[in-house]
Amino acid sequence: MIPAAFDYVRASSLNEALDLLAKHGDDAKILAGGHSLIPAMKLRLSQPKVVIDISRIADLHSVNQQNGKIAIGALTTHYEIESSDLLKRACPLLPEVAGSIGDVQVRNKGTVGGSCVHADPAGDWPAAMLALDAEFEIAGPNGSRTVAANDFFVDILTSAVEPGEILKFIHVPATANTAAYVKFAQKASGFAIAGVAAVVDKTKKEVAVAVTGVAAKAYRASGTESSLRGVEPTADSIATAAEKAADGIDPLSDIHASADFRAHLARVQAKRALWAAVSRG
Amino acid sequence: MSTTTEKPPVTKSTQKYIGRAMKRVEDPRLLKGVGTYVDDVQLAGVVHAEFVRSPHANASIKSINTDAAKKLPGVIGVFTGADINEKAGTIPCASPLPGGKSPVHTVLAGSRVYFVGHPVAVVVAKTRAIARDALELVEVDYEPIPAVIDPEKALEKGSALTHPELGTNVAFTWGLAGGDVDAAFKEADRVFKLRILHQRVTPMAIEPRGCAASWHSGESSLTLWTSTQIPHLIRTLLPGMIGIPENKLRVVTPEVGGGFGSKLNLYSEEAVVSHLAMRLNRPTKWIEGRRENAAVTIHGRDQIGDHEVAIKNDGTVLAIRSNIIADIGSYLQLLTPAIPTLTGLMIGGCYKLKAVKVDITGVHTNKMSADAYRGAGRPEATYIIERVMDYVADELGLDPIEVRLKNMPQSGEFPFTTITGLQYDSGNYQAALEKAKELAQWPRLLKERENARAEGRLFGIGLSTYVEICALGPSKIMAAGGWEWGCVRIEISGKVTVITGATPHGQGQETSFAQIAADRLGIPIEDIVVLRGDTATAHFGRDTYGSRATALGGTAIAMSIDKIIEKTKTLAAALLEAAPADIEFAEGKFFVRGSEAKSIGWGQLASEAYVAKNLPPGFEPGLEASSFFEPPNCTFPFGTHICAVEVDRDTGQVKILKYTAVDDCGKQVNPLLIEGQVQGGIAQSLGAALMERTVYDENGQLLTGEFMDYAIPRALDIPEYALGSTETPSPSNLLGVKGVGEAGTIGATPCIGNAVIDALSPLGIRHVDLPFTPERVWRAIQEKGGTL
Ligand SMILES: Cc1cc2nc3c(=O)[nH]c(=O)nc-3n(C[C@H](O)[C@H](O)[C@H](O)COP(=O)(O)OP(=O)(O)OC[C@H]3O[C@@H](n4cnc5c(N)ncnc54)[C@H](O)[C@@H]3O)c2cc1C
């Protein structure tokens, strides 16, 4: 539980952090909340020579609303999201997800950006970001680019953030309160075995359903979504739609849940998430 | 979580402290973070050891190259089995069984490794970080060999062997028979079979192990600080291993952050670190990491039992015939073979069986050793017999309570000799059951279940009426003495120092022993200090395990006080100018019978006894006495646990709605400590019932090597508790106490198991194996066609 030796640098601005990254290349790692990086370093699964601490860059530590869009700084902690009055009003799904993460210590340190970049297949944020069609603003040596949630989560522990880049902001639309996140947690780690975020637009009769924990990366349950497109979301229609929540998916399997059980839980949780979202309207 | 506890009974006697729910004197230092654990021990010039451990479950070692590691700046030495094993002895087992076969257990691996984590070499460096870096530079060339993992397959002819030199995977067989089994089965109206697994679990004490040793070259003596339950047993066993006389070894146990049996052992690392401190002539320290703790500190349970039960149609249980396979892992640790034998001894539970036959086979596999874990063999026994009782009720369509009552001895039948030859000291099982029913609001629970079932919900009620064995134990049944030692010293100032050999390490006896001493001496508790955990202070002791400390260690203290009082009467008589026979002692005062107004207290007497100018002829100065208490028998606490659970049909998730426990641990010294023990025990038991399991894959890789994968209960998992007690004193010691450290882990797992299976019973499910993880429960439901 002792990491290999490393140097520590604190960046005071985004540009400085990008310069440091450019200078140290593959030897460097960005440190945000440290709640994924440091455990990996302690187990020596990750052995960066330089750790660049970006956690005090104030600009990336914010939640702002402009024209129906909300910009969340990558360094915003889970707790800050959980307790944000703005988000509770404008996008209550996010505080709900934040509250389901880890324990108080984890929520106080862990950041939404770090969590998304880390792209843990059992992380909670990917489900919410997919369901909200979030956009990820990424800074790099040649300026910024924006990546849609669907393209952001690439594979197990791989996001679209390239070496040398830093995630700046996550943009989500303001959303009605007809949204919900339900998580079936792995008993030991507390991460999701099956976490489902559902966003229901009752007027348009559209739903967005995203599932995390079940497959190598979080996914949109498109079968479930199309089954409810233009349909009144009732207990019956939801149950039928939820049956499709793991269609075409290759579920993970481990000692905590076999592939069968994971797929089953995806269906159960999809039903529950949809029902919870609808009931809030 | 909330807990309702009944008020402790008001005692009318002159006793002031015994029976009072007092906060622990230990707590402030622990809560403020100023307690001293092994890692807090500061030793000048200390060097740090880290172990190179096998990544394979079974492999031969072709070569070890330590050159690169030795060259790393700051490394002091790298040692392999070839360098150390001859000089650090072999790890002892204190409970070998006749005819058993066990491998030589060297402190580091020789030419082969037998489990993941097996120590292969040790690196010593100036800092822990350098030692950790150097580990990666030690090159070990392993040739992997298929691992022996499944204990049943390990018994098949032609199975690969864990230890080829033994020619078998059978480490030992042990049998126990009482009564006429064949006759009982002939007499039976029905016979049924039940296969019960008790999974392997990892104790996961919050503080991993660790030790530090310092060689005093001037005195040729060694001090070992170690996070252990058993400094005295280590002092008995270690000197011969490392080649020093017993009286040159001092073992200190500072604060211990949880043992639960996992620190009731002499481990390789303690011997290696002691040896290195001598060899290098530098204080040497090793602190176990969490992943090491999961892999190389003993595991618990892990039994597979096939049971055949003979019953009468009226619910009488006549006999049990059991075949138990215990997966003991690769080596025998201190008490490995003894654990399943305790299961055998206690398999009849609190019932009057006519016959019992138990055959146990201990099997070597390529896993970490199994040994004592909180309850040690009794949780397994209780799980079996309490599942049997529910199964009988189910089989015959009887009420589970009626079945239990039918088979229990009456309170007038104690001491009750069981068919396995134990003598249960005292008991009133019916009273505990009655009280638990009351606390649990039994009729209301039944109604709730009826309503829930009518709505299609899976609601279950579970019950367990357990008896266990504590205060281990008379020396005749123990490997190296089952007595306990205590010493009491009235200091010159009149303050009192109590020294116990029982080595409490978090159970709270610094408080409860002071309560015992304060009452017996008639002094304020603030005047007493209880010392423990240092063989230089506590000269003798057999330490803490099997809930023995209060019953045996407490009694040794009471005996010592009685000796001091007797002695002091002579002194008081001289000072009061009376005959010793006329001196009485009450509430801290000595006086002549009939003239209580003129009395002398401890302060004055202590001063006289040590200043020693006015002593009566023949009176030895000083007021100190020590005692060895040799108990005539073990004690047998008992109780009834009741709980209600609800199972989520869609996810298999079990929720405990309410938990009621009535425990009888004999006379209660401190009800608050008892409640704490019961709460913690139930929590650990809940873990074993619902989530905990140590998993090795088919190659012997440990898949539950950290808290990311090994689930233990958290605060939110703990249900609402309703706790109560009955108090049936033990006749086996003068305090009447029995012991309560393991009660929770013994009573609760079967109670929860019975509740879960009761919840599933409307679906036709009659048995599910431990632990009741969501997937396992969901699968059981699926097999019966339960739908989403
Ligand atoms: C005990 C525990 C329980 C947890 N439980 C949960 C849970 O229930 N659900 C859940 O979803 N998560 C859980 N987590 C993970 C937690 O949410 C982490 O905070 C999160 O995974 C990573 O965020 P971080 O800010 O700590 O990132 P760090 O650990 O600092 O970084 C993680 C990775 O992302 C990179 N990185 C970080 N920020 C940026 C950025 N802005 N741009 C580019 N790269 C970046 C780092 O270089 C690193 O590779 C748990 C963690 C712990 C320790």
Side-chain angles (χ1 to χ4, degrees):
Chain A
M1 297 303 273
I2 297 175
F6 61 90
D7 284 332
Y8 170 89
V9 224
R10 187 186 294 164
S12 46
S13 71
L14 183 61
N15 282 340
E16 188 188 348
L18 286 168
D19 289 347
L20 285 165
L21 260 185
K23 184 170 146 204
H24 296 287
D26 286 350
D27 285 346
K29 272 269 176 209
I30 292 286
L31 177 81
H35 270 53
S36 291
L37 182 61
I38 291 174
M41 286 171 65
K42 282 179 147 188
L43 295 172
R44 299 198 173 206
L45 298 171
S46 179
Q47 305 199 3
K49 295 226 165 59
V50 184
V51 167
I52 303 167
D53 183 355
I54 61 167
S55 65
R56 312 210 184 178
I57 302 177
D59 324 355
L60 303 186
H61 218 94
S62 55
V63 180
N64 288 307
Q65 188 172 13
Q66 241 180 9
N67 312 330
K69 276 262 181 193
I70 304 160
I72 301 166
L75 291 174
T76 311
T77 63
H78 308 319
Y79 173 73
E80 285 164 344
I81 294 180
E82 184 186 3
S83 57
S84 157
D85 287 333
L86 192 164
L87 288 175
K88 281 186 206 162
R89 249 184 354 257
C91 192
L93 178 66
L94 294 179
E96 186 179 10
V97 171
S100 81
I101 294 175
D103 49 39
V104 176
Q105 291 93 322
V106 174
R107 296 197 289 276
N108 276 336
K109 286 302 286 179
T111 67
V112 63
S115 191
C116 289
V117 175
H118 190 60
D120 191 306
D124 293 299
W125 284 123
M129 297 309 169
L130 281 169
L132 292 171
D133 282 320
E135 287 177 336
F136 293 81
E137 188 183 339
I138 302 167
N142 311 316
S144 286
R145 65 190 178 104
T146 298
V147 177
N150 246 330
D151 302 318
F152 186 82
F153 301 104
V154 177
D155 201 350
I156 235 166
L157 302 179
T158 313
S159 72
V161 175
E162 298 288 341
E165 292 186 322
I166 292 177
L167 175 64
K168 251 164 56 173
F169 288 104
I170 302 171
H171 302 277
V172 294
T175 317
N177 70 339
T178 46
Y181 182 67
V182 296
K183 159 160 150 181
F184 191 90
Q186 198 255 69
K187 197 66 210 158
S189 71
F191 278 80
I193 284 180
V196 177
V199 179
V200 176
D201 186 328
K202 282 190 171 171
T203 36
K204 286 196 197 148
K205 296 210 169 82
E206 287 272 356
V207 303
V209 176
V211 184
T212 189
V214 174
K217 59 172 182 169
Y219 62 90
R220 285 280 287 260
S222 48
T224 300
E225 293 178 355
S226 51
S227 163
L228 283 172
R229 194 159 296 137
V231 175
E232 199 64 48
T234 62
D236 280 349
S237 66
I238 285 174
T240 311
E243 278 303 307
K244 301 188 167 75
D247 285 4
I249 292 304
D250 186 14
L252 299 170
S253 178
D254 60 23
I255 55 167
H256 306 290
S258 67
D260 281 359
F261 189 49
R262 269 198 165 73
H264 167 75
L265 288 176
R267 295 188 280 265
V268 172
Q269 300 298 80
K271 185 176 78 175
R272 291 181 179 181
L274 280 163
W275 188 245
V278 168
S279 315
R280 283 170 190 177
Chain B
M1 184 197 90
S2 70
T3 305
T4 23
T5 315
E6 356 141 66
K7 291 230 161 50
V10 185
T11 31
K12 269 241 188 80
S13 69
T14 54
Q15 289 183 334
K16 286 176 64 188
Y17 297 109
I18 291 184
R20 239 161 78 176
M22 299 186 73
K23 286 190 184 167
R24 308 194 313 169
V25 297
E26 292 92 331
D27 287 338
R29 67 172 188 262
L30 298 177
L31 293 173
K32 286 188 228 159
V34 294
T36 303
Y37 293 84
V38 168
D39 204 14
D40 300 315
V41 173
Q42 301 289 330
L43 300 168
V46 71
V47 294
H48 301 264
E50 288 277 327
F51 288 83
V52 177
R53 298 189 179 276
S54 170
H56 301 287
N58 196 2
S60 58
I61 297 177
K62 296 278 140 208
S63 65
I64 305 177
N65 185 342
T66 60
D67 292 349
K70 280 179 178 154
K71 283 194 199 118
L72 188 73
V75 169
I76 286 156
V78 183
F79 307 90
T80 66
D83 304 320
I84 284 191
N85 286 347
E86 298 266 291
K87 300 177 185 103
T90 54
I91 299 301
C93 172
S95 56
L97 292 169
K101 288 191 172 183
S102 56
V104 178
H105 188 175
T106 52
V107 293
L108 296 180
S111 57
R112 192 163 161 159
V113 288
Y114 296 101
F115 61 97
V116 166
H118 199 158
V120 169
V122 59
V123 173
V124 185
K126 281 187 180 158
T127 68
R128 215 179 149 193
I130 296 171
R132 179 65 186 76
D133 286 345
L135 285 190
E136 269 152 56
L137 301 175
V138 176
E139 292 162 32
V140 186
D141 186 8
Y142 296 100
E143 189 171 291
I145 303 166
V148 179
I149 295 303
D150 180 333
E152 288 183 291
K153 286 194 189 138
L155 291 175
E156 287 168 8
K157 264 216 177 80
S159 162
L161 298 177
T162 309
H163 298 283
E165 74 278 15
L166 303 181
T168 172
N169 285 320
V170 176
F172 57 83
T173 56
W174 183 84
L176 171 73
D180 189 337
V181 181
D182 293 334
F185 272 83
K186 267 199 206 105
E187 190 191 333
D189 293 330
R190 292 180 195 214
V191 169
F192 64 86
K193 290 185 180 173
L194 201 53
R195 182 178 167 86
I196 293 177
L197 311 188
H198 214 117
Q199 82 278 20
R200 180 173 279 244
V201 293
T202 310
M204 290 287 198
I206 193 165
E207 180 211 25
R209 290 185 295 125
C211 57
S214 198
W215 174 245
H216 317 291
S217 58
E219 295 82 12
S220 296
S221 69
L222 187 84
T223 305
L224 173 69
W225 293 261
T226 180
S227 181
T228 188
Q229 301 171 223
I230 51 162
H232 294 93
L233 299 185
I234 288 177
R235 188 167 183 260
T236 302
L237 295 164
L238 185 61
M241 294 169 65
I242 55 171
I244 59 170
E246 182 186 2
N247 52 9
K248 294 282 190 182
L249 176 66
R250 173 181 172 199
V251 183
V252 184
T253 302
E255 305 290 358
V256 175
F260 310 118
S262 75
K263 294 173 184 169
L264 164 51
N265 245 297
L266 175 50
Y267 285 98
S268 293
E269 294 87 354
E270 288 164 320
V272 171
V273 167
S274 298
H275 168 73
L276 288 173
M278 293 164 65
R279 182 171 184 151
L280 302 169
N281 194 17
R282 296 191 67 167
T284 307
K285 187 190 256 189
W286 166 74
I287 300 295
E288 189 181 50
R290 176 55 64 193
R291 287 182 68 88
E292 279 183 304
N293 181 260
V296 306
T297 288
I298 62 98
H299 297 156
R301 320 281 191 256
D302 211 350
Q303 294 183 3
I304 304 172
D306 282 299
H307 313 281
E308 229 180 323
V309 186
I311 60 173
K312 299 290 275 180
N313 282 336
D314 66 356
T316 306
V317 179
L318 298 169
I320 297 186
R321 197 152 45 196
S322 297
N323 245 310
I324 295 174
I325 293 174
D327 182 347
I328 61 164
S330 53
Y331 283 120
L332 303 186
Q333 281 280 354
L334 196 63
L335 297 174
T336 298
I339 308 309
T341 67
L342 272 172
T343 306
L345 280 167
M346 296 305 293
I347 204 165
C350 62
Y351 308 108
K352 300 167 70 169
L353 305 191
K354 279 191 166 176
V356 160
K357 185 171 187 311
V358 183
D359 288 292
I360 292 172
T361 307
V363 184
H364 281 303
T365 56
N366 290 113
K367 301 175 189 167
M368 182 57 201
S369 311
D371 201 320
Y373 169 57
R374 199 170 186 178
R378 295 101 95 197
E380 297 91 315
T382 308
Y383 197 78
I384 295 164
I385 188 68
E386 291 305 307
R387 280 295 303 129
V388 162
M389 287 295 149
D390 263 31
Y391 212 88
V392 171
D394 189 34
E395 183 85 9
L396 300 173
L398 298 173
D399 175 358
I401 290 187
E402 291 315 312
V403 172
R404 285 171 169 83
L405 286 172
K406 176 142 211 94
N407 290 286
M408 279 175 182
Q410 301 299 318
S411 62
E413 292 179 67
F414 289 87
F416 174 77
T417 304
T418 72
I419 202 69
T420 58
L422 295 171
Q423 200 188 69
Y424 290 174
D425 54 347
S426 63
N428 187 343
Y429 303 155
Q430 294 81 358
L433 172 58
E434 215 30 65
K435 189 153 188 185
K437 275 175 69 180
E438 214 175 283
L439 264 181
Q441 300 177 288
W442 186 256
R444 219 173 99 180
L445 270 189
L446 295 180
K447 189 81 201 143
E448 272 182 61
R449 179 173 66 184
E450 199 184 310
N451 295 343
R453 284 186 179 167
E455 293 167 16
R457 282 155 54 206
L458 300 175
F459 184 105
I461 302 174
L463 176 74
S464 114
T465 50
Y466 73 91
V467 62
E468 59 136 336
I469 179 169
C470 279
L472 304 173
S475 295
K476 63 177 189 288
I477 64 162
M478 305 298 287
W483 43 264
E484 195 43 82
W485 180 86
C487 173
V488 175
R489 208 155 65 209
I490 318 285
E491 309 281 6
I492 192 165
S493 61
K495 300 280 181 194
V496 173
T497 302
V498 170
I499 308 170
T500 176
T503 319
H505 50 276
Q507 294 83 357
Q509 277 108 343
E510 282 176 50
T511 309
S512 56
F513 284 2
Q515 289 178 266
I516 293 169
D519 274 355
R520 223 166 178 86
L521 289 166
I523 61 172
I525 199 163
E526 294 76 21
D527 287 350
I528 300 171
V529 163
V530 177
L531 301 180
R532 37 70 58 194
D534 182 344
T535 61
T537 322
H539 299 146
F540 306 98
R542 295 288 90 173
D543 306 316
T544 282
Y545 52 89
S547 292
R548 64 194 302 283
T550 307
L552 308 189
T555 302
I557 290 162
M559 287 164 67
S560 304
I561 291 171
D562 291 351
K563 285 180 192 169
I564 294 174
I565 291 170
E566 254 340 279
K567 174 179 173 176
T568 309
K569 280 183 179 168
T570 316
L571 180 59
L575 297 172
L576 291 166
E577 296 169 346
D582 294 332
I583 299 296
E584 290 218 343
F585 173 74
E587 300 196 49
K589 299 217 161 25
F590 291 83
F591 50 87
V592 180
R593 186 172 305 116
S595 45
E596 279 149 53
K598 204 178 142 217
S599 66
I600 356 178
W602 286 112
Q604 190 188 344
L605 287 158
S607 163
E608 293 286 356
Y610 289 97
V611 172
K613 295 194 195 301
N614 299 313
L615 299 182
F619 188 92
E620 268 185 45
L623 290 180
E624 181 190 48
S626 62
S627 310
F628 286 82
F629 173 52
E630 171 65 38
N633 188 6
C634 302
T635 62
F636 295 86
F638 57 90
T640 293
H641 289 205
I642 292 171
C643 78
V645 304
E646 184 157 354
V647 175
D648 181 330
R649 201 186 271 267
D650 292 343
T651 63
Q653 186 101 48
V654 175
K655 185 167 170 48
I656 300 177
L657 304 171
K658 185 175 178 186
Y659 199 99
T660 304
V662 171
D663 295 277
D664 189 321
C665 57
K667 178 81 190 150
Q668 301 201 351
V669 177
N670 185 333
L672 189 62
L673 296 188
I674 289 167
E675 185 181 326
Q677 289 292 330
V678 171
Q679 287 194 7
I682 295 171
Q684 266 175 322
S685 205
L686 181 158
L690 300 184
M691 60 193 86
E692 293 191 39
R693 56 185 168 150
T694 306
V695 183
Y696 284 94
D697 74 7
E698 66 280 7
N699 300 315
Q701 287 300 323
L702 180 62
L703 302 184
T704 47
E706 53 174 301
F707 284 127
M708 289 293 279
D709 291 304
Y710 190 84
I712 58 168
R714 300 169 198 209
L716 287 178
D717 294 309
I718 307 304
E720 186 189 333
Y721 286 140
L723 303 180
S725 58
T726 56
E727 215 170 346
T728 311
S730 170
S732 299
N733 59 69
L734 57 86
L735 298 172
V737 306
K738 290 192 170 184
V740 74
E742 286 111 332
T745 47
I746 292 167
T749 309
C751 177
I752 297 166
N754 282 336
V756 173
I757 292 166
D758 181 53
L760 298 173
S761 63
L763 303 173
I765 293 167
R766 298 191 69 192
H767 186 74
V768 182
D769 281 322
L770 285 170
F772 302 98
T773 58
E775 176 154 9
R776 190 164 280 170
V777 171
W778 173 74
R779 286 202 180 279
I781 295 172
Q782 291 310 103
E783 274 164 30
K784 294 289 175 185
T787 46
L788 205 160

